Amino acid sequence: MSTDFTLDPTLAADTVHVGDLALCSVLLMDDARFPWLILVPRRPGASEITDLAPEDAHALMDEMRIATRVMLDLAKPDKVNVAALGNVVPQLHVHVIGRFLSDPAWPKPIWGIGTPTPYPLHARAQMIERIGALFAAA
């Protein structure tokens, strides 16, 4: 793995580091309205999945499947949205978002709906611990 990888400043400002998988850093979006993980492949310069070497693309898909299972176990959502958009942050990253029929954005995408609500520090610490344990068990 290259040591040239740097997390995009916007992602760094909006998230909390949970841990690392073989390819991706796992981040928790600091918005308590939605259970929301972000996977960031630690590959400098990658902005599209097609920028990844074939073995990294396969690893990303495996890690997306693991993160989806973690989200299902963590939040018991009605649906898990998985998306790699990159319209605001060009660095390749994949959103894994637990969605509920009762959430404030349902059934629309969550972007641009309301104001993010940061986790209280104790709740954020508990979430990170739970997420870490679920990834370790996966």
Side-chain angles (χ1 to χ4, degrees), residues 40-68:
V40 183
R42 293 183 304 279
R43 297 297 183 258
S47 62
E48 305 293 343
I49 293 172
T50 54
D51 292 337
L52 298 175
E55 59 274 8
D56 284 345
H58 289 290
L60 177 58
M61 181 58 71
D62 289 343
E63 291 180 5
M64 289 165 48
R65 292 179 65 210
I66 292 167
T68 298

Side-chain angles (χ1 to χ4, degrees), residues 42-123:
R42 293 183 304 279
R43 297 297 183 258
S47 62
E48 305 293 343
I49 293 172
T50 54
D51 292 337
L52 298 175
E55 59 274 8
D56 284 345
H58 289 290
L60 177 58
M61 181 58 71
D62 289 343
E63 291 180 5
M64 289 165 48
R65 292 179 65 210
I66 292 167
T68 298
R69 173 53 49 203
V70 165
M71 181 58 67
L72 288 166
D73 292 344
L74 173 73
K76 310 287 190 260
D78 296 310
K79 176 75 175 98
V80 177
N81 292 167
V82 179
L85 290 101
N87 297 348
V88 174
V89 174
Q91 182 174 51
L92 177 58
H93 61 289
V94 177
H95 300 267
V96 180
I97 308 161
R99 298 297 308 274
F100 296 89
L101 298 172
S102 61
D103 78 38
W106 186 268
K108 297 178 181 163
I110 60 171
W111 290 275
I113 303 291
T115 303
T117 304
Y119 283 95
L121 291 180
H122 70 281

Side-chain angles (χ1 to χ4, degrees), residues 5 7 11-12 14-22 24-31 34-40 42 63 66-67 70-71 74 94 96 119 121 123-138:
F5 175 79
L7 185 63
L11 287 175
D14 293 345
T15 64
V16 179
H17 186 259
V18 174
D20 289 322
L21 301 173
C24 295
S25 290
V26 179
L27 310 173
L28 172 66
M29 180 62 84
D30 195 12
D31 186 351
F34 306 101
W36 186 348
L37 300 173
I38 297 179
L39 302 176
V40 183
R42 293 183 304 279
E63 291 180 5
I66 292 167
V70 165
M71 181 58 67
L74 173 73
V94 177
V96 180
Y119 283 95
L121 291 180
R124 187 172 77 186
Q126 289 174 338
M127 281 290 281
I128 291 168
E129 185 176 329
R130 286 185 63 211
I131 294 165
L134 288 168
F135 271 105

